[in-house]
């Protein structure tokens, strides 16, 4: 966890177990196959919990197991409150969490707040809606530059290469700082914040012990979406502040999440994936 985020998301009471905990990352798809179909799943993870406990592991971090088209190894989430059938079911997730606790293990799951899958119901509704419609407020849609709007709204580049904008047949562009299949959410839109607060509570109610927050320095973009001004933006990340990462507004998001975590017993944690200068 970065020093930048510690005051916002670190637990402030009890044992601070995470200070010297051994946290074992599990990429579910390749870890253990529990049903014999050749693909790792939650049942497979559950079958190995005793071994992880015997190794001295304190917590298991599960990479995304949510419904996803897998354009980015599960980090393109189509439903944040369910399990992809290839990995099992919500009942399997519940049993895994309960069994982990019986083995003295904590469970940390990924939350992916910067973007969703392009198959997410919100984005599908936005595609069906007209420019300027309420459905498009959930994502970052903009008109293009140039005489016919044929140029992207700004010069931002995708972390995965190429422009960070894709144009729709109706002429508008949508932002994706990662793959085109991962449209960026608009965190200035209150329903987005409300949705993710509810997602955290959903998994906390199921018993998870915390969240690894993907792209925790994202979500908030600089007002007006200004140009960066030169190519090679990916190389700048972590060395300079760019308009699409490390904006001050992310701190209030994490403070709000910390308040949610603190409202639950058991010293629930948040840990940030953040590349910031």
């Amino acid at each position: 966890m970065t020093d930048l985020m510690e005051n916002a998301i670190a637990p402030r009471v009890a044992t601070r177990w995470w200070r010297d905990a051994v946290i074992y990352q599990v990429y579910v798809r390749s870890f253990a196959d529990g049903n014999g179909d050749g693909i790792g799943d939650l049942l497979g993870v559950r079958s190995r919990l005793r071994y992880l406990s015997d190794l001295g592991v304190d917590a298991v971090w599960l990479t995304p197991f949510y419904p996803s088209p897998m354009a980015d190894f599960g980090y393109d989430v189509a439903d944040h409150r369910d399990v992809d059938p290839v990995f099992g079911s919500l009942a399997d997730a519940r049993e895994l969490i309960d069994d982990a606790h019986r083995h003295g293990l904590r469970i940390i799951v990924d939350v992916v707040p910067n973007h969703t899958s392009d198959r997410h119901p919100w984005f599908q509704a936005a595609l069906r809606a007209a420019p300027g419609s309420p459905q498009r407020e959930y994502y970052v849609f903009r008109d293009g530059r140039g005489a016919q709007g044929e140029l992207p709204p700004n010069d931002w580049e995708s972390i995965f290469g190429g422009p960070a904008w894709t144009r729709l047949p109706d002429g508008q562009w949508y932002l994706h700082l990662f793959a085109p299949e991962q449209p960026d959410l608009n965190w200035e839109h209150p329903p987005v914040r409300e949705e993710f607060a509810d997602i955290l509570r959903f998994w906390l109610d199921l018993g998870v012990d915390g969240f690894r927050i993907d792209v925790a320095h994202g979500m908030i973009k600089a007002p007006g979406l200004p140009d960066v001004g030169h190519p090679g933006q990916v190389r700048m990340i972590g060395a300079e502040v760019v308009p699409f990462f490390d904006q001050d507004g992310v701190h209030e998001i994490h403070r709000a999440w910390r308040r949610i975590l603190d409202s639950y017993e058991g010293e629930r944690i948040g840990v940030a994936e953040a590349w910031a200068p």
Side-chain angles (χ1 to χ4, degrees), residues 160-182:
F160 291 165
W165 297 90
T166 290
R167 196 179 192 191
L168 298 177
D170 60 32
Q172 274 208 316
W173 299 73
Y174 71 87
L175 177 67
H176 52 86
L177 290 175
F178 293 86
E181 297 88 352
Q182 294 169 287

Side-chain angles (χ1 to χ4, degrees), residues 3-26:
D3 291 339
L4 173 71
M5 301 302 299
E6 182 163 329
N7 289 336
I9 68 174
R12 292 181 287 279
V13 294
T15 61
R16 296 195 168 200
W17 62 266
W18 47 270
R19 277 292 190 184
D20 55 7
V22 175
I23 300 177
Y24 190 101
Q25 178 184 3
V26 167

Side-chain angles (χ1 to χ4, degrees), residues 105-221:
L105 296 166
R106 290 177 167 91
I107 293 291
I108 297 167
V109 299
D110 260 293
V111 61
V112 187
N114 183 72
H115 46 262
T116 71
S117 167
D118 61 355
R119 308 285 180 85
H120 191 286
W122 281 357
F123 194 70
Q124 290 296 303
L127 292 180
R128 292 191 298 268
S133 62
Q135 291 86 345
R136 293 205 174 181
E137 287 297 310
Y138 286 83
Y139 295 88
V140 183
F141 283 90
R142 293 291 186 274
D143 294 329
R145 298 190 287 194
Q148 305 297 324
E150 71 277 9
L151 300 175
N154 62 27
D155 68 353
W156 294 2
E157 298 171 6
S158 166
I159 305 304
F160 291 165
W165 297 90
T166 290
R167 196 179 192 191
L168 298 177
D170 60 32
Q172 274 208 316
W173 299 73
Y174 71 87
L175 177 67
H176 52 86
L177 290 175
F178 293 86
E181 297 88 352
Q182 294 169 287
D184 275 49
L185 287 162
N186 173 17
W187 275 83
E188 306 296 345
H189 190 46
V192 172
R193 298 187 184 226
E194 294 163 8
E195 172 78 353
F196 273 85
D198 189 69
I199 289 165
L200 296 189
R201 292 189 185 99
F202 177 87
W203 290 104
L204 290 166
D205 288 342
L206 283 183
V208 304
D209 300 281
F211 301 93
R212 179 265 190 187
I213 304 162
D214 186 64
V215 194
H217 56 303
M219 293 95 86
I220 301 298
K221 280 67 175 176

